[in-house]
mmCIF file with all atom_site columns, all heavy atoms in Angstrom:
data_model
loop_
_atom_site.group_PDB
_atom_site.id
_atom_site.type_symbol
_atom_site.label_atom_id
_atom_site.label_alt_id
_atom_site.label_comp_id
_atom_site.label_asym_id
_atom_site.label_entity_id
_atom_site.label_seq_id
_atom_site.pdbx_PDB_ins_code
_atom_site.Cartn_x
_atom_site.Cartn_y
_atom_site.Cartn_z
_atom_site.occupancy
_atom_site.B_iso_or_equiv
_atom_site.pdbx_formal_charge
_atom_site.auth_seq_id
_atom_site.auth_comp_id
_atom_site.auth_asym_id
_atom_site.auth_atom_id
_atom_site.pdbx_PDB_model_num
ATOM 1   N N   . ILE A 1 1  ? -19.347 12.748 3.634  1.00 70.00 ? 29 ILE A N   1
ATOM 2   C CA  . ILE A 1 1  ? -18.025 13.266 3.967  1.00 70.00 ? 29 ILE A CA  1
ATOM 3   C C   . ILE A 1 1  ? -17.481 12.610 5.228  1.00 70.00 ? 29 ILE A C   1
ATOM 4   O O   . ILE A 1 1  ? -16.484 13.078 5.789  1.00 70.00 ? 29 ILE A O   1
ATOM 5   C CB  . ILE A 1 1  ? -18.054 14.792 4.154  1.00 70.00 ? 29 ILE A CB  1
ATOM 6   C CG1 . ILE A 1 1  ? -19.069 15.190 5.224  1.00 70.00 ? 29 ILE A CG1 1
ATOM 7   C CG2 . ILE A 1 1  ? -18.351 15.482 2.834  1.00 70.00 ? 29 ILE A CG2 1
ATOM 8   C CD1 . ILE A 1 1  ? -19.028 16.661 5.583  1.00 70.00 ? 29 ILE A CD1 1
ATOM 9   N N   . PHE A 1 2  ? -18.122 11.542 5.670  1.00 70.00 ? 30 PHE A N   1
ATOM 10  C CA  . PHE A 1 2  ? -17.760 10.951 6.942  1.00 70.00 ? 30 PHE A CA  1
ATOM 11  C C   . PHE A 1 2  ? -16.993 9.639  6.860  1.00 70.00 ? 30 PHE A C   1
ATOM 12  O O   . PHE A 1 2  ? -16.401 9.220  7.857  1.00 70.00 ? 30 PHE A O   1
ATOM 13  C CB  . PHE A 1 2  ? -19.022 10.748 7.793  1.00 70.00 ? 30 PHE A CB  1
ATOM 14  C CG  . PHE A 1 2  ? -19.638 12.033 8.261  1.00 70.00 ? 30 PHE A CG  1
ATOM 15  C CD1 . PHE A 1 2  ? -20.759 12.549 7.630  1.00 70.00 ? 30 PHE A CD1 1
ATOM 16  C CD2 . PHE A 1 2  ? -19.091 12.728 9.319  1.00 70.00 ? 30 PHE A CD2 1
ATOM 17  C CE1 . PHE A 1 2  ? -21.321 13.733 8.048  1.00 70.00 ? 30 PHE A CE1 1
ATOM 18  C CE2 . PHE A 1 2  ? -19.645 13.918 9.749  1.00 70.00 ? 30 PHE A CE2 1
ATOM 19  C CZ  . PHE A 1 2  ? -20.766 14.426 9.111  1.00 70.00 ? 30 PHE A CZ  1
ATOM 20  N N   . ARG A 1 3  ? -16.992 8.981  5.727  1.00 72.00 ? 31 ARG A N   1
ATOM 21  C CA  . ARG A 1 3  ? -16.276 7.719  5.631  1.00 72.00 ? 31 ARG A CA  1
ATOM 22  C C   . ARG A 1 3  ? -14.797 7.959  5.362  1.00 72.00 ? 31 ARG A C   1
ATOM 23  O O   . ARG A 1 3  ? -14.427 8.564  4.360  1.00 72.00 ? 31 ARG A O   1
ATOM 24  C CB  . ARG A 1 3  ? -16.871 6.821  4.550  1.00 72.00 ? 31 ARG A CB  1
ATOM 25  C CG  . ARG A 1 3  ? -16.329 5.398  4.634  1.00 72.00 ? 31 ARG A CG  1
ATOM 26  C CD  . ARG A 1 3  ? -17.057 4.441  3.736  1.00 72.00 ? 31 ARG A CD  1
ATOM 27  N NE  . ARG A 1 3  ? -16.593 4.520  2.359  1.00 72.00 ? 31 ARG A NE  1
ATOM 28  C CZ  . ARG A 1 3  ? -16.929 3.663  1.412  1.00 72.00 ? 31 ARG A CZ  1
ATOM 29  N NH1 . ARG A 1 3  ? -17.750 2.655  1.697  1.00 72.00 ? 31 ARG A NH1 1
ATOM 30  N NH2 . ARG A 1 3  ? -16.462 3.820  0.181  1.00 72.00 ? 31 ARG A NH2 1
ATOM 31  N N   . ARG A 1 4  ? -13.979 7.469  6.260  1.00 72.00 ? 32 ARG A N   1
ATOM 32  C CA  . ARG A 1 4  ? -12.525 7.563  6.145  1.00 72.00 ? 32 ARG A CA  1
ATOM 33  C C   . ARG A 1 4  ? -12.092 8.994  5.833  1.00 72.00 ? 32 ARG A C   1
ATOM 34  O O   . ARG A 1 4  ? -11.284 9.237  4.937  1.00 72.00 ? 32 ARG A O   1
ATOM 35  C CB  . ARG A 1 4  ? -12.012 6.604  5.071  1.00 72.00 ? 32 ARG A CB  1
ATOM 36  C CG  . ARG A 1 4  ? -12.342 5.144  5.338  1.00 72.00 ? 32 ARG A CG  1
ATOM 37  C CD  . ARG A 1 4  ? -11.922 4.251  4.182  1.00 72.00 ? 32 ARG A CD  1
ATOM 38  N NE  . ARG A 1 4  ? -10.481 4.239  3.988  1.00 72.00 ? 32 ARG A NE  1
ATOM 39  C CZ  . ARG A 1 4  ? -9.636  3.488  4.680  1.00 72.00 ? 32 ARG A CZ  1
ATOM 40  N NH1 . ARG A 1 4  ? -10.095 2.672  5.639  1.00 72.00 ? 32 ARG A NH1 1
ATOM 41  N NH2 . ARG A 1 4  ? -8.343  3.540  4.439  1.00 72.00 ? 32 ARG A NH2 1
ATOM 42  N N   . SER A 1 5  ? -12.650 9.938  6.587  1.00 80.00 ? 33 SER A N   1
ATOM 43  C CA  . SER A 1 5  ? -12.378 11.333 6.300  1.00 80.00 ? 33 SER A CA  1
ATOM 44  C C   . SER A 1 5  ? -12.111 12.138 7.566  1.00 80.00 ? 33 SER A C   1
ATOM 45  O O   . SER A 1 5  ? -12.395 11.717 8.687  1.00 80.00 ? 33 SER A O   1
ATOM 46  C CB  . SER A 1 5  ? -13.536 11.966 5.522  1.00 80.00 ? 33 SER A CB  1
ATOM 47  O OG  . SER A 1 5  ? -14.710 12.012 6.317  1.00 80.00 ? 33 SER A OG  1
ATOM 48  N N   . PHE A 1 6  ? -11.568 13.296 7.335  1.00 87.00 ? 34 PHE A N   1
ATOM 49  C CA  . PHE A 1 6  ? -11.276 14.286 8.348  1.00 87.00 ? 34 PHE A CA  1
ATOM 50  C C   . PHE A 1 6  ? -12.045 15.538 7.939  1.00 87.00 ? 34 PHE A C   1
ATOM 51  O O   . PHE A 1 6  ? -11.899 16.029 6.816  1.00 87.00 ? 34 PHE A O   1
ATOM 52  C CB  . PHE A 1 6  ? -9.764  14.551 8.367  1.00 87.00 ? 34 PHE A CB  1
ATOM 53  C CG  . PHE A 1 6  ? -9.306  15.735 9.155  1.00 87.00 ? 34 PHE A CG  1
ATOM 54  C CD1 . PHE A 1 6  ? -8.761  15.570 10.429 1.00 87.00 ? 34 PHE A CD1 1
ATOM 55  C CD2 . PHE A 1 6  ? -9.365  17.011 8.622  1.00 87.00 ? 34 PHE A CD2 1
ATOM 56  C CE1 . PHE A 1 6  ? -8.296  16.659 11.154 1.00 87.00 ? 34 PHE A CE1 1
ATOM 57  C CE2 . PHE A 1 6  ? -8.908  18.104 9.338  1.00 87.00 ? 34 PHE A CE2 1
ATOM 58  C CZ  . PHE A 1 6  ? -8.375  17.920 10.606 1.00 87.00 ? 34 PHE A CZ  1
ATOM 59  N N   . VAL A 1 7  ? -12.880 16.038 8.820  1.00 92.00 ? 35 VAL A N   1
ATOM 60  C CA  . VAL A 1 7  ? -13.638 17.257 8.549  1.00 92.00 ? 35 VAL A CA  1
ATOM 61  C C   . VAL A 1 7  ? -13.222 18.312 9.556  1.00 92.00 ? 35 VAL A C   1
ATOM 62  O O   . VAL A 1 7  ? -13.214 18.053 10.765 1.00 92.00 ? 35 VAL A O   1
ATOM 63  C CB  . VAL A 1 7  ? -15.154 17.021 8.623  1.00 92.00 ? 35 VAL A CB  1
ATOM 64  C CG1 . VAL A 1 7  ? -15.905 18.318 8.350  1.00 92.00 ? 35 VAL A CG1 1
ATOM 65  C CG2 . VAL A 1 7  ? -15.573 15.953 7.620  1.00 92.00 ? 35 VAL A CG2 1
ATOM 66  N N   . GLY A 1 8  ? -12.876 19.472 9.062  1.00 95.00 ? 36 GLY A N   1
ATOM 67  C CA  . GLY A 1 8  ? -12.410 20.515 9.944  1.00 95.00 ? 36 GLY A CA  1
ATOM 68  C C   . GLY A 1 8  ? -13.015 21.866 9.635  1.00 95.00 ? 36 GLY A C   1
ATOM 69  O O   . GLY A 1 8  ? -13.424 22.147 8.511  1.00 95.00 ? 36 GLY A O   1
ATOM 70  N N   . TRP A 1 9  ? -13.070 22.687 10.674 1.00 98.00 ? 37 TRP A N   1
ATOM 71  C CA  . TRP A 1 9  ? -13.420 24.086 10.532 1.00 98.00 ? 37 TRP A CA  1
ATOM 72  C C   . TRP A 1 9  ? -12.142 24.907 10.637 1.00 98.00 ? 37 TRP A C   1
ATOM 73  O O   . TRP A 1 9  ? -11.374 24.757 11.603 1.00 98.00 ? 37 TRP A O   1
ATOM 74  C CB  . TRP A 1 9  ? -14.407 24.529 11.606 1.00 98.00 ? 37 TRP A CB  1
ATOM 75  C CG  . TRP A 1 9  ? -15.821 24.100 11.361 1.00 98.00 ? 37 TRP A CG  1
ATOM 76  C CD1 . TRP A 1 9  ? -16.460 23.033 11.884 1.00 98.00 ? 37 TRP A CD1 1
ATOM 77  C CD2 . TRP A 1 9  ? -16.766 24.769 10.520 1.00 98.00 ? 37 TRP A CD2 1
ATOM 78  N NE1 . TRP A 1 9  ? -17.759 22.973 11.434 1.00 98.00 ? 37 TRP A NE1 1
ATOM 79  C CE2 . TRP A 1 9  ? -17.973 24.032 10.592 1.00 98.00 ? 37 TRP A CE2 1
ATOM 80  C CE3 . TRP A 1 9  ? -16.730 25.909 9.719  1.00 98.00 ? 37 TRP A CE3 1
ATOM 81  C CZ2 . TRP A 1 9  ? -19.122 24.398 9.893  1.00 98.00 ? 37 TRP A CZ2 1
ATOM 82  C CZ3 . TRP A 1 9  ? -17.868 26.277 9.022  1.00 98.00 ? 37 TRP A CZ3 1
ATOM 83  C CH2 . TRP A 1 9  ? -19.042 25.527 9.114  1.00 98.00 ? 37 TRP A CH2 1
ATOM 84  N N   . TYR A 1 10 ? -11.927 25.748 9.656  1.00 98.00 ? 38 TYR A N   1
ATOM 85  C CA  . TYR A 1 10 ? -10.801 26.663 9.632  1.00 98.00 ? 38 TYR A CA  1
ATOM 86  C C   . TYR A 1 10 ? -11.324 28.092 9.675  1.00 98.00 ? 38 TYR A C   1
ATOM 87  O O   . TYR A 1 10 ? -12.490 28.345 9.370  1.00 98.00 ? 38 TYR A O   1
ATOM 88  C CB  . TYR A 1 10 ? -9.975  26.483 8.361  1.00 98.00 ? 38 TYR A CB  1
ATOM 89  C CG  . TYR A 1 10 ? -9.242  25.160 8.243  1.00 98.00 ? 38 TYR A CG  1
ATOM 90  C CD1 . TYR A 1 10 ? -9.925  23.984 7.939  1.00 98.00 ? 38 TYR A CD1 1
ATOM 91  C CD2 . TYR A 1 10 ? -7.862  25.098 8.415  1.00 98.00 ? 38 TYR A CD2 1
ATOM 92  C CE1 . TYR A 1 10 ? -9.256  22.781 7.815  1.00 98.00 ? 38 TYR A CE1 1
ATOM 93  C CE2 . TYR A 1 10 ? -7.183  23.902 8.289  1.00 98.00 ? 38 TYR A CE2 1
ATOM 94  C CZ  . TYR A 1 10 ? -7.886  22.741 7.987  1.00 98.00 ? 38 TYR A CZ  1
ATOM 95  O OH  . TYR A 1 10 ? -7.212  21.550 7.864  1.00 98.00 ? 38 TYR A OH  1
ATOM 96  N N   . ARG A 1 11 ? -10.458 29.001 10.031 1.00 98.00 ? 39 ARG A N   1
ATOM 97  C CA  . ARG A 1 11 ? -10.836 30.407 9.966  1.00 98.00 ? 39 ARG A CA  1
ATOM 98  C C   . ARG A 1 11 ? -9.655  31.241 9.489  1.00 98.00 ? 39 ARG A C   1
ATOM 99  O O   . ARG A 1 11 ? -8.499  30.876 9.676  1.00 98.00 ? 39 ARG A O   1
ATOM 100 C CB  . ARG A 1 11 ? -11.337 30.922 11.316 1.00 98.00 ? 39 ARG A CB  1
ATOM 101 C CG  . ARG A 1 11 ? -10.288 30.999 12.410 1.00 98.00 ? 39 ARG A CG  1
ATOM 102 C CD  . ARG A 1 11 ? -10.938 31.396 13.728 1.00 98.00 ? 39 ARG A CD  1
ATOM 103 N NE  . ARG A 1 11 ? -9.972  31.502 14.810 1.00 98.00 ? 39 ARG A NE  1
ATOM 104 C CZ  . ARG A 1 11 ? -10.288 31.681 16.088 1.00 98.00 ? 39 ARG A CZ  1
ATOM 105 N NH1 . ARG A 1 11 ? -11.570 31.780 16.444 1.00 98.00 ? 39 ARG A NH1 1
ATOM 106 N NH2 . ARG A 1 11 ? -9.337  31.774 17.008 1.00 98.00 ? 39 ARG A NH2 1
ATOM 107 N N   . GLN A 1 12 ? -9.987  32.362 8.881  1.00 98.00 ? 40 GLN A N   1
ATOM 108 C CA  . GLN A 1 12 ? -8.965  33.269 8.391  1.00 98.00 ? 40 GLN A CA  1
ATOM 109 C C   . GLN A 1 12 ? -9.416  34.702 8.630  1.00 98.00 ? 40 GLN A C   1
ATOM 110 O O   . GLN A 1 12 ? -10.443 35.134 8.111  1.00 98.00 ? 40 GLN A O   1
ATOM 111 C CB  . GLN A 1 12 ? -8.688  33.044 6.909  1.00 98.00 ? 40 GLN A CB  1
ATOM 112 C CG  . GLN A 1 12 ? -7.528  33.858 6.369  1.00 98.00 ? 40 GLN A CG  1
ATOM 113 C CD  . GLN A 1 12 ? -7.063  33.385 5.011  1.00 98.00 ? 40 GLN A CD  1
ATOM 114 O OE1 . GLN A 1 12 ? -7.831  32.809 4.245  1.00 98.00 ? 40 GLN A OE1 1
ATOM 115 N NE2 . GLN A 1 12 ? -5.797  33.614 4.708  1.00 98.00 ? 40 GLN A NE2 1
ATOM 116 N N   . ALA A 1 13 ? -8.645  35.413 9.423  1.00 97.00 ? 41 ALA A N   1
ATOM 117 C CA  . ALA A 1 13 ? -8.901  36.816 9.692  1.00 97.00 ? 41 ALA A CA  1
ATOM 118 C C   . ALA A 1 13 ? -8.083  37.661 8.724  1.00 97.00 ? 41 ALA A C   1
ATOM 119 O O   . ALA A 1 13 ? -7.065  37.205 8.198  1.00 97.00 ? 41 ALA A O   1
ATOM 120 C CB  . ALA A 1 13 ? -8.541  37.153 11.133 1.00 97.00 ? 41 ALA A CB  1
ATOM 121 N N   . PRO A 1 14 ? -8.505  38.903 8.477  1.00 92.00 ? 42 PRO A N   1
ATOM 122 C CA  . PRO A 1 14 ? -7.753  39.771 7.560  1.00 92.00 ? 42 PRO A CA  1
ATOM 123 C C   . PRO A 1 14 ? -6.292  39.893 7.969  1.00 92.00 ? 42 PRO A C   1
ATOM 124 O O   . PRO A 1 14 ? -5.983  40.160 9.126  1.00 92.00 ? 42 PRO A O   1
ATOM 125 C CB  . PRO A 1 14 ? -8.479  41.111 7.676  1.00 92.00 ? 42 PRO A CB  1
ATOM 126 C CG  . PRO A 1 14 ? -9.873  40.743 8.055  1.00 92.00 ? 42 PRO A CG  1
ATOM 127 C CD  . PRO A 1 14 ? -9.721  39.571 8.980  1.00 92.00 ? 42 PRO A CD  1
ATOM 128 N N   . GLY A 1 15 ? -5.400  39.691 7.011  1.00 94.00 ? 43 GLY A N   1
ATOM 129 C CA  . GLY A 1 15 ? -3.979  39.819 7.268  1.00 94.00 ? 43 GLY A CA  1
ATOM 130 C C   . GLY A 1 15 ? -3.345  38.646 7.980  1.00 94.00 ? 43 GLY A C   1
ATOM 131 O O   . GLY A 1 15 ? -2.155  38.697 8.294  1.00 94.00 ? 43 GLY A O   1
ATOM 132 N N   . LYS A 1 16 ? -4.119  37.601 8.243  1.00 96.00 ? 44 LYS A N   1
ATOM 133 C CA  . LYS A 1 16 ? -3.589  36.441 8.938  1.00 96.00 ? 44 LYS A CA  1
ATOM 134 C C   . LYS A 1 16 ? -3.753  35.186 8.097  1.00 96.00 ? 44 LYS A C   1
ATOM 135 O O   . LYS A 1 16 ? -4.576  35.134 7.187  1.00 96.00 ? 44 LYS A O   1
ATOM 136 C CB  . LYS A 1 16 ? -4.292  36.256 10.286 1.00 96.00 ? 44 LYS A CB  1
ATOM 137 C CG  . LYS A 1 16 ? -4.083  37.403 11.264 1.00 96.00 ? 44 LYS A CG  1
ATOM 138 C CD  . LYS A 1 16 ? -4.734  37.103 12.599 1.00 96.00 ? 44 LYS A CD  1
ATOM 139 C CE  . LYS A 1 16 ? -4.489  38.222 13.596 1.00 96.00 ? 44 LYS A CE  1
ATOM 140 N NZ  . LYS A 1 16 ? -5.125  37.928 14.908 1.00 96.00 ? 44 LYS A NZ  1
ATOM 141 N N   . GLN A 1 17 ? -2.965  34.174 8.416  1.00 96.00 ? 45 GLN A N   1
ATOM 142 C CA  . GLN A 1 17 ? -3.059  32.919 7.691  1.00 96.00 ? 45 GLN A CA  1
ATOM 143 C C   . GLN A 1 17 ? -4.228  32.091 8.194  1.00 96.00 ? 45 GLN A C   1
ATOM 144 O O   . GLN A 1 17 ? -4.698  32.261 9.321  1.00 96.00 ? 45 GLN A O   1
ATOM 145 C CB  . GLN A 1 17 ? -1.755  32.130 7.818  1.00 96.00 ? 45 GLN A CB  1
ATOM 146 C CG  . GLN A 1 17 ? -1.385  31.727 9.230  1.00 96.00 ? 45 GLN A CG  1
ATOM 147 C CD  . GLN A 1 17 ? -0.042  31.024 9.309  1.00 96.00 ? 45 GLN A CD  1
ATOM 148 O OE1 . GLN A 1 17 ? 0.473   30.531 8.302  1.00 96.00 ? 45 GLN A OE1 1
ATOM 149 N NE2 . GLN A 1 17 ? 0.539   30.965 10.488 1.00 96.00 ? 45 GLN A NE2 1
ATOM 150 N N   . ARG A 1 18 ? -4.695  31.198 7.355  1.00 97.00 ? 46 ARG A N   1
ATOM 151 C CA  . ARG A 1 18 ? -5.791  30.333 7.726  1.00 97.00 ? 46 ARG A CA  1
ATOM 152 C C   . ARG A 1 18 ? -5.333  29.333 8.787  1.00 97.00 ? 46 ARG A C   1
ATOM 153 O O   . ARG A 1 18 ? -4.244  28.764 8.687  1.00 97.00 ? 46 ARG A O   1
ATOM 154 C CB  . ARG A 1 18 ? -6.310  29.589 6.490  1.00 97.00 ? 46 ARG A CB  1
ATOM 155 C CG  . ARG A 1 18 ? -7.572  28.794 6.721  1.00 97.00 ? 46 ARG A CG  1
ATOM 156 C CD  . ARG A 1 18 ? -8.125  28.250 5.396  1.00 97.00 ? 46 ARG A CD  1
ATOM 157 N NE  . ARG A 1 18 ? -8.476  29.328 4.481  1.00 97.00 ? 46 ARG A NE  1
ATOM 158 C CZ  . ARG A 1 18 ? -9.046  29.139 3.298  1.00 97.00 ? 46 ARG A CZ  1
ATOM 159 N NH1 . ARG A 1 18 ? -9.344  27.910 2.888  1.00 97.00 ? 46 ARG A NH1 1
ATOM 160 N NH2 . ARG A 1 18 ? -9.324  30.178 2.522  1.00 97.00 ? 46 ARG A NH2 1
ATOM 161 N N   . GLU A 1 19 ? -6.165  29.129 9.798  1.00 97.00 ? 47 GLU A N   1
ATOM 162 C CA  . GLU A 1 19 ? -5.820  28.225 10.876 1.00 97.00 ? 47 GLU A CA  1
ATOM 163 C C   . GLU A 1 19 ? -6.929  27.226 11.134 1.00 97.00 ? 47 GLU A C   1
ATOM 164 O O   . GLU A 1 19 ? -8.111  27.518 10.960 1.00 97.00 ? 47 GLU A O   1
ATOM 165 C CB  . GLU A 1 19 ? -5.525  29.008 12.167 1.00 97.00 ? 47 GLU A CB  1
ATOM 166 C CG  . GLU A 1 19 ? -6.713  29.788 12.701 1.00 97.00 ? 47 GLU A CG  1
ATOM 167 C CD  . GLU A 1 19 ? -6.442  30.448 14.042 1.00 97.00 ? 47 GLU A CD  1
ATOM 168 O OE1 . GLU A 1 19 ? -5.498  30.030 14.748 1.00 97.00 ? 47 GLU A OE1 1
ATOM 169 O OE2 . GLU A 1 19 ? -7.179  31.393 14.398 1.00 97.00 ? 47 GLU A OE2 1
ATOM 170 N N   . LEU A 1 20 ? -6.541  26.047 11.567 1.00 97.00 ? 48 LEU A N   1
ATOM 171 C CA  . LEU A 1 20 ? -7.504  25.013 11.928 1.00 97.00 ? 48 LEU A CA  1
ATOM 172 C C   . LEU A 1 20 ? -8.072  25.317 13.302 1.00 97.00 ? 48 LEU A C   1
ATOM 173 O O   . LEU A 1 20 ? -7.325  25.501 14.264 1.00 97.00 ? 48 LEU A O   1
ATOM 174 C CB  . LEU A 1 20 ? -6.839  23.639 11.918 1.00 97.00 ? 48 LEU A CB  1
ATOM 175 C CG  . LEU A 1 20 ? -7.708  22.449 12.328 1.00 97.00 ? 48 LEU A CG  1
ATOM 176 C CD1 . LEU A 1 20 ? -8.859  22.260 11.342 1.00 97.00 ? 48 LEU A CD1 1
ATOM 177 C CD2 . LEU A 1 20 ? -6.872  21.178 12.415 1.00 97.00 ? 48 LEU A CD2 1
ATOM 178 N N   . VAL A 1 21 ? -9.388  25.344 13.399 1.00 98.00 ? 49 VAL A N   1
ATOM 179 C CA  . VAL A 1 21 ? -10.071 25.660 14.645 1.00 98.00 ? 49 VAL A CA  1
ATOM 180 C C   . VAL A 1 21 ? -10.541 24.400 15.354 1.00 98.00 ? 49 VAL A C   1
ATOM 181 O O   . VAL A 1 21 ? -10.343 24.238 16.555 1.00 98.00 ? 49 VAL A O   1
ATOM 182 C CB  . VAL A 1 21 ? -11.271 26.598 14.391 1.00 98.00 ? 49 VAL A CB  1
ATOM 183 C CG1 . VAL A 1 21 ? -12.054 26.831 15.677 1.00 98.00 ? 49 VAL A CG1 1
ATOM 184 C CG2 . VAL A 1 21 ? -10.786 27.918 13.806 1.00 98.00 ? 49 VAL A CG2 1
ATOM 185 N N   . ALA A 1 22 ? -11.192 23.511 14.616 1.00 98.00 ? 50 ALA A N   1
ATOM 186 C CA  . ALA A 1 22 ? -11.732 22.289 15.188 1.00 98.00 ? 50 ALA A CA  1
ATOM 187 C C   . ALA A 1 22 ? -11.815 21.226 14.113 1.00 98.00 ? 50 ALA A C   1
ATOM 188 O O   . ALA A 1 22 ? -11.981 21.537 12.933 1.00 98.00 ? 50 ALA A O   1
ATOM 189 C CB  . ALA A 1 22 ? -13.110 22.538 15.798 1.00 98.00 ? 50 ALA A CB  1
ATOM 190 N N   . ALA A 1 23 ? -11.715 19.967 14.521 1.00 96.00 ? 51 ALA A N   1
ATOM 191 C CA  . ALA A 1 23 ? -11.755 18.868 13.565 1.00 96.00 ? 51 ALA A CA  1
ATOM 192 C C   . ALA A 1 23 ? -12.487 17.676 14.149 1.00 96.00 ? 51 ALA A C   1
ATOM 193 O O   . ALA A 1 23 ? -12.524 17.489 15.365 1.00 96.00 ? 51 ALA A O   1
ATOM 194 C CB  . ALA A 1 23 ? -10.335 18.462 13.165 1.00 96.00 ? 51 ALA A CB  1
ATOM 195 N N   . ILE A 1 24 ? -13.056 16.878 13.268 1.00 94.00 ? 52 ILE A N   1
ATOM 196 C CA  . ILE A 1 24 ? -13.750 15.669 13.674 1.00 94.00 ? 52 ILE A CA  1
ATOM 197 C C   . ILE A 1 24 ? -13.507 14.594 12.623 1.00 94.00 ? 52 ILE A C   1
ATOM 198 O O   . ILE A 1 24 ? -13.449 14.878 11.429 1.00 94.00 ? 52 ILE A O   1
ATOM 199 C CB  . ILE A 1 24 ? -15.265 15.928 13.863 1.00 94.00 ? 52 ILE A CB  1
ATOM 200 C CG1 . ILE A 1 24 ? -15.954 14.705 14.472 1.00 94.00 ? 52 ILE A CG1 1
ATOM 201 C CG2 . ILE A 1 24 ? -15.919 16.338 12.549 1.00 94.00 ? 52 ILE A CG2 1
ATOM 202 C CD1 . ILE A 1 24 ? -17.389 14.984 14.929 1.00 94.00 ? 52 ILE A CD1 1
ATOM 203 N N   . THR A 1 25 ? -13.339 13.358 13.072 1.00 89.00 ? 53 THR A N   1
ATOM 204 C CA  . THR A 1 25 ? -13.166 12.239 12.160 1.00 89.00 ? 53 THR A CA  1
ATOM 205 C C   . THR A 1 25 ? -14.468 11.467 12.051 1.00 89.00 ? 53 THR A C   1
ATOM 206 O O   . THR A 1 25 ? -15.404 11.670 12.826 1.00 89.00 ? 53 THR A O   1
ATOM 207 C CB  . THR A 1 25 ? -12.065 11.285 12.636 1.00 89.00 ? 53 THR A CB  1
ATOM 208 O OG1 . THR A 1 25 ? -12.499 10.611 13.823 1.00 89.00 ? 53 THR A OG1 1
ATOM 209 C CG2 . THR A 1 25 ? -10.779 12.045 12.941 1.00 89.00 ? 53 THR A CG2 1
ATOM 210 N N   . SER A 1 26 ? -14.530 10.559 11.079 1.00 80.00 ? 54 SER A N   1
ATOM 211 C CA  . SER A 1 26 ? -15.722 9.741  10.916 1.00 80.00 ? 54 SER A CA  1
ATOM 212 C C   . SER A 1 26 ? -15.977 8.866  12.131 1.00 80.00 ? 54 SER A C   1
ATOM 213 O O   . SER A 1 26 ? -17.108 8.436  12.360 1.00 80.00 ? 54 SER A O   1
ATOM 214 C CB  . SER A 1 26 ? -15.611 8.871  9.660  1.00 80.00 ? 54 SER A CB  1
ATOM 215 O OG  . SER A 1 26 ? -14.456 8.047  9.712  1.00 80.00 ? 54 SER A OG  1
ATOM 216 N N   . GLY A 1 27 ? -14.928 8.611  12.906 1.00 83.00 ? 55 GLY A N   1
ATOM 217 C CA  . GLY A 1 27 ? -15.071 7.834  14.118 1.00 83.00 ? 55 GLY A CA  1
ATOM 218 C C   . GLY A 1 27 ? -15.542 8.639  15.313 1.00 83.00 ? 55 GLY A C   1
ATOM 219 O O   . GLY A 1 27 ? -15.781 8.071  16.381 1.00 83.00 ? 55 GLY A O   1
ATOM 220 N N   . GLY A 1 28 ? -15.663 9.947  15.139 1.00 86.00 ? 56 GLY A N   1
ATOM 221 C CA  . GLY A 1 28 ? -16.176 10.790 16.194 1.00 86.00 ? 56 GLY A CA  1
ATOM 222 C C   . GLY A 1 28 ? -15.130 11.477 17.045 1.00 86.00 ? 56 GLY A C   1
ATOM 223 O O   . GLY A 1 28 ? -15.479 12.236 17.957 1.00 86.00 ? 56 GLY A O   1
ATOM 224 N N   . SER A 1 29 ? -13.856 11.236 16.770 1.00 92.00 ? 57 SER A N   1
ATOM 225 C CA  . SER A 1 29 ? -12.806 11.908 17.521 1.00 92.00 ? 57 SER A CA  1
ATOM 226 C C   . SER A 1 29 ? -12.774 13.386 17.172 1.00 92.00 ? 57 SER A C   1
ATOM 227 O O   . SER A 1 29 ? -12.959 13.758 16.014 1.00 92.00 ? 57 SER A O   1
ATOM 228 C CB  . SER A 1 29 ? -11.447 11.277 17.229 1.00 92.00 ? 57 SER A CB  1
ATOM 229 O OG  . SER A 1 29 ? -11.422 9.917  17.618 1.00 92.00 ? 57 SER A OG  1
#
């Protein structure tokens, strides 16, 4: 999942929309 990809952690609380919490690219950013 690391080649030319974006990997992220999202979270969703009850009654709320899903939000991006943290992200990392294959380059380590």
Side-chain angles (χ1 to χ4, degrees):
I29 57 173
F30 291 102
R31 192 171 81 170
R32 300 175 64 82
S33 66
F34 168 101
V35 179
W37 283 98
Y38 293 75
R39 68 185 181 188
Q40 186 166 27
K44 297 184 178 180
Q45 62 184 342
R46 188 172 299 184
E47 63 175 340
L48 178 64
V49 175
I52 188 169
T53 69
S54 57
S57 298

